[in-house]
Amino acid sequence: MNFSELKVLRPDLAFIAHWIKPQAQVLDVGCGDGVMLDYLQSDKQCSGYGIEIADDKVLACATRGVNVIQQDMENGLGMFEDNAFDTVMCLSSLQMMKHVEPLLRDIARVGQEAIVSFPNFGYWPHRTALLRGKMPVSKSLPYEWYDTPNVRCATIYDFSDLANEVGLNVLECVALHEGKPVTWLPNLRGSLAVFRLRKK
Amino acid sequence: MSSSPGSVGIVTPQAFQFDEPLALQNGTSIAGYTLMVETYGSLNADKSNAVLICHALNASHHVAGVYADQPKNLGWWDNMVGPGKPVDTNLFFVIGVNNLGSCFGSTGPMHTNPATGKPYGADFPVVTVEDWVNAQARLADRLGIQQFAAVMGGSLGGMQALAWSILYPDRLRHCVVVASTPKLSAQNIAFNDVARQAILTDPDFHGGDFYAHGVVPRRGLRVARMIGHITYLSDDDMAEKFGRDLKGGDYQFGYGVDFEIESYLRYQGDKFSDYFDANTYLLITKALDYFDPARHTGGDLSKALAHTRARFLLASFTTDWRFSPERSREIVKALVSNKRTVSYAEIDAPHGHDAFLLDDSRYLNLIAAYYRRIDAELQAELLGAAA
């Protein structure tokens, strides 16, 4: 998979990919169908592993020839040694976690750098939904309150505090919308929060 | 030719004779020996598409297909190996080999010991997983296969695949280990010893020389199989299949068969004692007990796997309490710490240890996807070599 293919398929991942150095050892926590790892190993000669729990996605990873380890992210990263990875990614998964803080501490333990993304609850349509008295349902949060897998709702500001708390410095914080960075009023206009973090 | 769609059809085992003595881990050697082998599919010109399938405790070289004179004797992994099946014999040359000491034609305890002129019996050397792998490597030499596309096995077969990756790191591209373990637990060994004691204390065992007495320690074999069988199934699976169902509709107030589960286990035990050799059961359970590649690295599995070069696929089943997912995760962790290429699937199947032999689409699709990648990789290399 090359960059233009990734950009068509997942513009958000294409934006994030430039933060990862060629030949890096990477871990993708909640790797889904393995598209990011597929790109990183074929275009950037990276190596590493994905973690995924869903059977169909594990199969998709195997079909792509991406290393995948089937496990529940809630069980942490005990499989991996300290500082085993140059970059640990946790992309659009954190909001589904019950144990967010222990997972972030584990991410900081096994990686030098981390890239974390999650749907920004502060995105303006979410705010207007709440102003109207309803829980937000949008392209980035496409579920009803009673069936959503997203059990954690955070804004860009909220996450910075927790990152510091678990021993991660924020190197960059970007709000994306449709895969493009939003510079003016990011916490209002960005639907996806993306953090580039480094271990303190 | 084929007996059903996707079957390799009628197969014929071949005997391979080896005259050069094979040094064994116990310090002795075995003078000359025969290995029974079946192959499916065809070996390509550069001999790169061979897949070795290693068998578990009670299986054999008969991996797939049927025999002309035994149309119901289906290979033990026929759902895995065949044309269009996960290990696709249209793409791969698949080899099944019966291990030394087994009782399906390869040299074993029932054969004549050239040193005494009598059956080996209990004197057959206690062979190990590593000994089997060394014997399999000689078979590979004989077939002109320098490197397997994959070595694969479930349970004890998975141990052999893992041992291949350690003993012959350059001779396999991929190592597929299903429902296996890096070593037996105390509980696993305990079950094995109960099974062995059942055989060893059967009056018909005669110290392993029962052949000369014209008897078979059937009672011991039955109990051994019954206890083994319990460890292959999950509690839930047994509850669903048998529950507390009664054979005769009511309690019999005796020691015959009351419950369906009793009937089932006794039937399995009887069937097993008809075809399995008691000495083979003893030595294969010992091979299981002794397997522990980290024994020589101070218990550090990561060190034991440091020189492996294969790419790995591991799979386990959530309800397998014989070799639980935790055991597979130990192997994965050790491989990850060596930065090996490894994927791991933990399949939520209800059937316990036996799940590795059964049809589960998540499991079979995963293996199929993995083998398609292996084939693509071989094709790409062939094209590269031609260019």
Side-chain angles (χ1 to χ4, degrees), chain A residues 17-163:
Chain A
H18 78 273
W19 282 337
I20 295 164
K21 293 185 200 84
Q23 280 132 34
Q25 281 282 329
V26 295
L27 178 67
D28 190 348
V29 182
C31 66
D33 65 2
V35 63
M36 186 63 155
L37 284 169
D38 189 356
Y39 166 73
L40 290 174
Q41 69 187 32
S42 52
D43 209 42
K44 290 197 150 184
Q45 292 75 50
C46 294
S47 51
Y49 310 93
I51 292 177
E52 178 55 52
I53 189 164
D55 292 322
D56 56 333
K57 289 173 179 161
V58 169
L59 177 62
C61 288
T63 305
R64 287 180 185 280
V66 159
N67 285 339
V68 61
I69 293 166
Q70 187 167 27
Q71 73 153 76
D72 189 344
M73 289 154 54
E74 298 279 12
N75 296 338
L77 306 176
M79 182 77 83
F80 308 100
E81 292 176 356
D82 296 358
N83 305 311
F85 301 99
D86 298 310
T87 304
V88 181
M89 297 171 282
C90 184
L91 306 177
S92 301
S93 304
L94 203 66
Q95 74 280 2
M96 299 181 207
M97 304 296 302
K98 199 170 150 198
H99 305 104
V100 172
E101 193 186 330
L103 180 67
L104 278 176
R105 285 188 194 280
D106 237 5
I107 286 174
R109 178 182 67 79
V110 302
Q112 298 293 336
E113 280 198 17
I115 301 171
V116 174
S117 73
F118 56 90
N120 177 24
F121 207 74
Y123 178 48
W124 69 266
H126 302 158
R127 299 191 195 197
T128 52
L130 281 171
L131 274 177
R132 286 199 313 271
K134 299 280 281 182
M135 280 298 280
V137 178
S138 69
K139 205 170 157 189
S140 64
L141 291 174
Y143 301 94
E144 296 291 344
W145 66 272
Y146 51 84
D147 65 2
T148 180
N150 302 325
V151 295
R152 305 291 179 197
C153 307
T155 71
I156 292 178
Y157 296 155
D158 294 322
F159 184 78
S160 303
D161 297 340
L162 179 63

Side-chain angles (χ1 to χ4, degrees), chain A residues 148-191:
Chain A
T148 180
N150 302 325
V151 295
R152 305 291 179 197
C153 307
T155 71
I156 292 178
Y157 296 155
D158 294 322
F159 184 78
S160 303
D161 297 340
L162 179 63
N164 267 305
E165 175 72 28
V166 301
L168 292 165
N169 277 327
V170 177
L171 297 181
E172 288 181 66
C173 163
V174 180
L176 295 184
H177 188 63
E178 310 275 336
K180 292 196 184 75
V182 176
T183 46
W184 182 61
L185 299 177
N187 197 29
L188 194 64
R189 296 180 57 241
S191 54

